[in-house]
């Protein structure tokens, strides 16, 4: 059967508007985002949002500049905007809205009431539009700013209405959107009502960090920033003890726009490498700033995605912003005075007690007598630590034994328990007073205000891991030269990406050359990386260089190898340690700021404040 030829027709404005509405306003949360962005663009310092019935009724009130009566009907026309006037303006945007489509699209699928008043006007003006058909403008009462009421959303498009999720799901999406909008505008007050009930009130803050702490309700949070050429990244984030079960608490902003970006999300996760366990995700808010002409914000109808001219710079800047602070471990409170210097003898007269503010004895200020802290069994003084009989088991060695011997000796033998100068300043871990060993697994220590249990295996594992990684990064790892270059086939784009990082890879011990447009040749590689795994390592690394930039893949692979080596070469749970060995391990932990976690992200210590003990014993209420 022949299909009769069809003539081309010009779509009516109503159909065009509804098509645009399907792109710009996929769900009520997108509608709310567009309206709040208009309020911010209008200079509002207070934004009030109400929503009902899963967002089918939305009201946004702001105290912005307002609009003139003449501009009210124009604002509901497609491609009508005050934000841009020529093509070049798209590459120097200073506003969030710029297409001039949002209000027209929203008006085409709802009943819209627009009320606005400018400073100096005697009264406000109101325009009502029902599914795109505008009524006459009326004079009404109202304060300076703009109020937009959306009702009966999608009533004229039943198919669209059918695809909405439950009211609770849509309400949750709206609140998430408003949370992101509030995070990106710390100087704006937000008041949010859900079905007539106030669910959030966020007063304006002085800076981004205060706003993140206010909204995420986590304290303390930490800051970090870094630059890579013309890309700047600033991050506010929680320590690795405060984690989430999903990635929904990674908030990303580009040019202060809330965006979804897998590459930047991967950069945040990369910064927490070896600090989180499987299934844990960071809590962080990250802002990326770049020259306006180096980022395209006009690639998605909802403006939820952007395209960087050089994505690798953004990836590296974000990873560095977080990692630079994380590696300082700011969540560890350094003691001003070492606890060893505050040990006091018991009072000679039993009536001379230290009293707490409640009148009860304060045991936190009365450490146990030093003579009770020593082990009396001299057999514990001779252990595998003193014998220094550490070596990697055969199952852990995949390459010639000489590959690991130098590293193992420097990490697990010669350095791990070397004598330290008595005059050296004490760090956090070495300032803890060693009380003993529990279950031959946990080192029991105390500070001024708490008991601290240290997992001896996890602690030593981190120490040895860091020393192995430092040795590798310092070029102390043996390299093997191949008689003939190892040929690895991959796409020309990946080959080019690897060649751009050739110098950096040489520092990591990998020497490469191009054998053809789609083949890379490996002339030499570290002994600790199996030859059979080189193909997979370099292909993954090339993919990340193309997508993200940097040599993160290879470093992750070496990190995994070092973590395995460390796990098999350190003190085990159930192994007895002498007090001197425990103190020596604590001193070694002070050499590395990330000693709070083992290389697999497991916590190294657990704290029990004295106030909790006193509460459990009924000494305080």
């Amino acid at each position: 059967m022949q299909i009769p030829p069809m003539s081309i027709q010009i779509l009516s404005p109503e159909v065009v508007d509804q098509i645009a509405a399907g792109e710009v306003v996929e769900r009520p949360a997108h509608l709310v985002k567009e309206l709040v962005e208009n309020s911010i663009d209008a200079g509002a310092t207070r934004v009030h949002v109400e929503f009902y019935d899963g967002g089918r009724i939305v009201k946004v009130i702001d105290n912005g500049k307002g609009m003139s009566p003449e501009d009210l009907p124009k604002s509901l026309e497609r491609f009508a905007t005050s934000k841009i006037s020529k093509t070049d303006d798209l590459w120097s945007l200073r506003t969030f809205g710029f297409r001039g489509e949002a209000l027209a699209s929203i008006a085409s699928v709802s009943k819209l009431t627009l009320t606005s008043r400018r400073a100096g006007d005697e009264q406000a003006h109101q325009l009502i539009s029902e599914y795109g058909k505008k009524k006459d403008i009326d004079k009404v009462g109202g304060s300076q700013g703009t109020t937009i009421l959306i009702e009966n959303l999608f009533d004229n498009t039943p198919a669209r209405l059918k695809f909405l999720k439950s009211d609770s799901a849509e309400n949750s999406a709206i609140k998430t959107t408003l949370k992101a909008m509030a995070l990106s505008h710390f100087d704006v007050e937000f008041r949010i009502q859900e079905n007539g009930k106030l669910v959030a009130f966020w007063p304006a803050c002085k800076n981004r960090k205060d706003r993140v702490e206010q909204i995420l309700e986590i304290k303390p949070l930490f800051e970090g920033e870094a630059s890579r050429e013309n890309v700047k990244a600033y991050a506010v984030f929680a320590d690795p003890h405060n984690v989430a079960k999903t990635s929904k608490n990674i908030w990303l902003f580009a040019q202060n726009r809330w965006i979804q970006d897998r590459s930047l999300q991967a950069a945040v996760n990369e910064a927490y490498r070896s600090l989180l366990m499987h299934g844990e995700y960071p809590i962080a808010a990250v802002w990326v700033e770049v020259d306006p002409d180096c980022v395209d914000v006009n690639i998605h109808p909802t403006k939820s995605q952007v395209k960087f001219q050089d994505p690798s710079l953004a990836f590296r800047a974000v990873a560095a912003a977080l990692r630079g602070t994380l590696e300082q471990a700011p969540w560890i409170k350094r003691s001003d005075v070492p606890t060893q210097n505050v040990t006091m003898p018991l009072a000679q007269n039993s009536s001379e007690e230290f009293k707490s503010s409640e009148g009860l004895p304060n045991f936190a200020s009365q450490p146990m007598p030093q003579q009770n802290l020593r082990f009396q069994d001299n057999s514990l003084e001779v252990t595998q630590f003193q014998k220094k009989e550490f070596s990697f088991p055969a199952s852990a060695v995949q390459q010639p034994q000489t590959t690991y011997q130098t590293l193992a000796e420097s990490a697990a033998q010669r350095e791990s328990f070397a004598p330290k100068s008595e005059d050296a300043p004490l760090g956090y871990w070495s300032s803890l007073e060693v009380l003993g060993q529990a279950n031959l697994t946990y080192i029991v220590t105390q500070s001024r205000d708490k008991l601290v249990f240290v997992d001896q295996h996890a602690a030593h594992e981190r120490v040895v891991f860091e020393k192995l990684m430092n040795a590798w990064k310092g070029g102390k790892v043996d390299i093997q030269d191949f008689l003939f270059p190892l040929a690895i086939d991959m796409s020309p784009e990946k080959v080019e990406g690897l060649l751009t990082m050739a110098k950096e890879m040489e520092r990591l011990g990998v020497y490469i050359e191009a054998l053809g447009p789609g083949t890379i040749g490996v002339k030499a590689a570290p002994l600790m990386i199996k030859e059979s795994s080189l193909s997979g390592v370099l292909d993954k690394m090339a993919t990340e260089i193309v997508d993200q930039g940097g040599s993160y893949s290879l470093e992750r692979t070496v990190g995994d190898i070092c973590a395995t080596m460390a796990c098999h070469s350190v003190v085990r749970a159930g192994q007895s340690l002498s007090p001197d060995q425990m103190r020596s391990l604590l001193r070694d932990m002070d050499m590395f700021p990330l000693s709070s976690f083992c290389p697999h992200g497991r916590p190294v210590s657990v704290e029990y404040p004295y106030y909790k003990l006193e509460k459990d014993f009924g000494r305080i209420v």
Side-chain angles (χ1 to χ4, degrees):
M1 183 179 68
Q2 283 189 338
I3 300 176
M6 300 181 64
S7 60
I8 298 177
Q9 299 181 11
I10 305 298
L11 295 177
S12 67
E14 292 80 7
V15 175
V16 171
D17 286 342
Q18 289 193 16
I19 291 174
E23 297 176 341
V24 178
V25 188
E26 295 179 1
R27 60 191 304 189
H30 296 147
L31 176 152
V32 171
K33 177 176 178 288
E34 294 288 348
L35 297 182
V36 172
E37 284 183 343
N38 283 343
S39 296
I40 301 299
D41 285 339
T45 58
R46 294 194 304 274
V47 177
H48 177 93
V49 180
E50 301 176 20
F51 54 93
Y52 305 83
D53 302 333
R56 295 190 60 210
I57 300 176
V58 175
K59 188 176 186 180
V60 177
I61 306 171
D62 69 53
N63 66 339
K65 297 177 182 178
M67 291 183 285
S68 67
E70 296 78 16
D71 282 342
L72 291 182
K74 292 181 183 179
S75 68
L76 301 186
E77 297 291 335
R78 293 194 73 213
F79 309 124
T81 179
S82 61
K83 316 296 175 56
I84 63 173
S85 59
K86 57 184 184 297
T87 305
D88 291 344
D89 293 342
L90 288 172
W91 302 102
S92 58
L93 287 172
R94 302 298 180 192
T95 58
F96 296 97
F98 56 87
R99 292 199 185 104
E101 286 188 292
L103 282 181
S105 300
I106 295 168
S108 69
V109 292
S110 69
K111 177 184 177 182
L112 183 149
T113 303
L114 177 59
T115 307
S116 189
R117 178 181 176 181
R118 296 177 301 176
D121 288 353
E122 294 182 357
Q123 57 190 124
H125 295 81
Q126 186 176 88
L127 173 64
I128 298 177
S129 170
E130 293 188 357
Y131 307 109
K133 296 181 179 180
K134 296 184 283 291
K135 297 184 178 181
D136 294 335
I137 297 175
D138 294 326
K139 294 182 179 181
V140 296
S143 57
Q144 178 185 334
T146 300
T147 299
I148 298 182
L149 174 63
I150 308 297
E151 300 173 282
N152 306 328
L153 182 65
F154 296 144
D155 266 9
N156 63 332
T157 54
R160 182 83 42 75
L161 190 63
K162 183 174 62 176
F163 280 92
L164 290 182
K165 298 181 180 180
S166 66
D167 286 358
S168 60
E170 296 296 343
N171 287 344
S172 178
I174 291 173
K175 288 184 284 189
T176 298
T177 298
L178 289 171
K179 186 179 291 186
M181 299 299 294
L183 283 171
S184 62
H185 299 93
F186 64 85
D187 53 350
V188 177
E189 174 187 295
F190 283 82
R191 186 185 298 267
I192 302 169
Q193 287 186 336
E194 175 186 357
N195 295 325
K197 180 182 178 181
L198 182 67
V199 293
F201 174 61
W202 298 312
C205 295
K206 295 181 180 180
N207 52 55
R208 285 172 172 170
K209 181 174 181 289
D210 289 348
R211 174 51 65 90
V212 178
E213 290 181 339
Q214 178 191 70
I215 293 179
L216 300 188
E217 299 179 342
I218 297 176
K219 286 187 177 182
L221 294 178
F222 307 97
E223 299 174 283
E225 55 185 336
S227 298
R228 293 296 181 269
E229 296 185 15
N230 65 330
V231 180
K232 297 180 180 179
Y234 169 79
V236 178
F237 49 92
D239 65 71
H241 297 94
N242 291 307
V243 297
K245 296 302 181 183
T246 68
S247 60
K248 292 182 179 180
N249 274 296
I250 300 177
W251 304 85
L252 302 172
F253 303 91
Q255 311 296 81
N256 212 28
R257 297 173 182 273
W258 180 40
I259 64 169
Q260 308 296 322
D261 191 293
R262 290 186 178 181
S263 176
L264 296 186
Q265 189 177 98
V268 175
N269 290 324
E270 171 64 26
Y272 279 80
R273 179 163 44 88
S274 81
L275 296 176
L276 300 181
M277 292 187 290
H278 180 71
E280 293 182 340
Y281 294 87
I283 299 174
V286 181
W287 284 263
V288 178
E289 298 290 338
V290 64
D291 296 338
D293 59 348
C294 295
V295 60
D296 188 357
V297 301
N298 189 28
I299 66 170
H300 194 276
T302 62
K303 294 171 283 189
S304 61
Q305 299 175 13
V306 300
K307 186 175 182 179
F308 295 100
Q309 186 179 46
D310 191 341
S312 67
L313 291 178
F315 182 95
R316 284 182 279 170
V318 169
L322 284 92
R323 191 69 181 185
T325 300
L326 286 170
E327 288 183 344
Q328 300 174 22
W331 54 87
I332 295 180
K333 297 179 181 178
R334 271 70 179 179
S335 302
D336 293 331
V337 180
T339 56
Q340 284 89 336
N341 295 339
V342 298
T343 303
M344 302 178 186
L346 291 176
Q348 295 181 357
N349 190 322
S350 59
S351 63
E352 297 177 3
E353 288 185 327
F354 294 94
K355 298 289 184 177
S356 65
S357 58
E358 292 80 5
L360 298 174
N362 187 347
F363 288 103
S365 60
Q366 285 183 276
M368 296 173 62
Q370 191 69 28
Q371 59 267 26
N372 292 338
L373 303 180
R374 300 187 179 279
F375 288 98
Q376 300 300 322
D377 187 355
N378 294 331
S379 65
L380 294 179
E381 298 295 330
V382 182
T383 66
Q384 285 188 343
F385 266 97
Q386 283 188 321
K387 296 177 182 178
K388 301 180 181 177
E389 293 177 349
F390 289 109
S391 61
F392 297 113
S395 60
V397 180
Q398 304 296 335
Q399 293 293 333
Q401 186 68 27
T402 54
T403 305
Y404 304 121
Q405 281 181 347
T406 303
L407 297 175
E409 289 172 1
S410 62
Q413 295 181 9
R414 187 170 61 248
E415 296 177 11
S416 285
F417 294 101
K420 304 293 190 300
S421 171
E422 296 297 330
D423 297 330
L426 295 175
Y428 171 76
W429 298 104
S430 55
S431 69
L432 298 174
E433 185 176 12
V434 175
L435 303 180
Q437 187 182 23
N439 199 30
L440 295 180
T441 300
Y442 305 104
I443 301 174
V444 185
T445 70
Q446 72 172 352
S447 66
R448 289 180 179 276
D449 56 354
K450 59 181 177 276
L451 287 171
V452 182
F453 292 82
V454 178
D455 185 326
Q456 63 192 37
H457 173 73
H460 197 209
E461 187 178 2
R462 167 58 74 173
V463 168
V464 174
F465 168 78
E466 292 289 352
K467 291 180 178 179
L468 289 170
M469 288 294 292
N470 287 345
W472 171 69
K473 291 179 180 179
K476 299 179 182 179
V477 177
D478 292 337
I479 305 286
Q480 63 173 340
D481 294 314
F482 298 119
L483 184 60
F484 299 102
L486 179 65
I488 300 175
D489 294 328
M490 57 183 64
S491 68
E493 185 182 28
K494 292 181 179 180
V495 171
E496 184 180 353
L498 284 176
L499 291 176
T500 60
M501 297 293 296
K503 292 296 182 183
E504 180 67 13
M505 292 173 64
E506 288 178 7
R507 187 184 69 82
L508 302 175
V510 180
Y511 292 80
I512 61 173
E513 63 180 355
L515 299 181
T519 305
I520 202 78
V522 183
K523 297 182 292 184
L527 276 170
M528 67 169 61
I529 300 179
K530 293 189 296 183
E531 182 178 328
S532 60
S533 68
L534 271 174
S535 177
V537 168
L538 291 181
D539 185 75
K540 183 178 180 182
M541 181 179 176
T543 300
E544 295 193 1
I545 289 175
V546 172
D547 296 341
Q548 304 163 355
S551 53
Y552 294 103
S553 179
L554 182 59
E555 186 167 343
R556 269 201 302 271
T557 301
V558 175
D560 291 342
I561 294 173
C562 289
T564 301
M565 292 167 56
C567 186
H568 288 284
S569 62
V570 300
V571 59
R572 315 297 298 181
Q575 182 173 341
S576 63
L577 304 179
S578 70
D580 287 341
Q581 292 165 351
M582 296 184 222
R583 284 189 284 269
S584 183
L585 177 55
L586 295 176
R587 286 196 298 269
D588 276 357
M589 291 171 66
D590 278 325
M591 296 170 58
F592 307 104
L594 298 182
S595 292
S596 298
F597 302 89
C598 82
H600 305 99
R602 193 161 56 87
V604 162
S605 64
V606 174
E607 299 178 355
Y608 289 92
Y610 284 126
Y611 75 82
K612 185 178 186 306
L613 288 178
E614 292 179 343
K615 186 175 181 180
D616 290 343
F617 279 104
R619 297 178 63 83
I620 60 176
V621 179

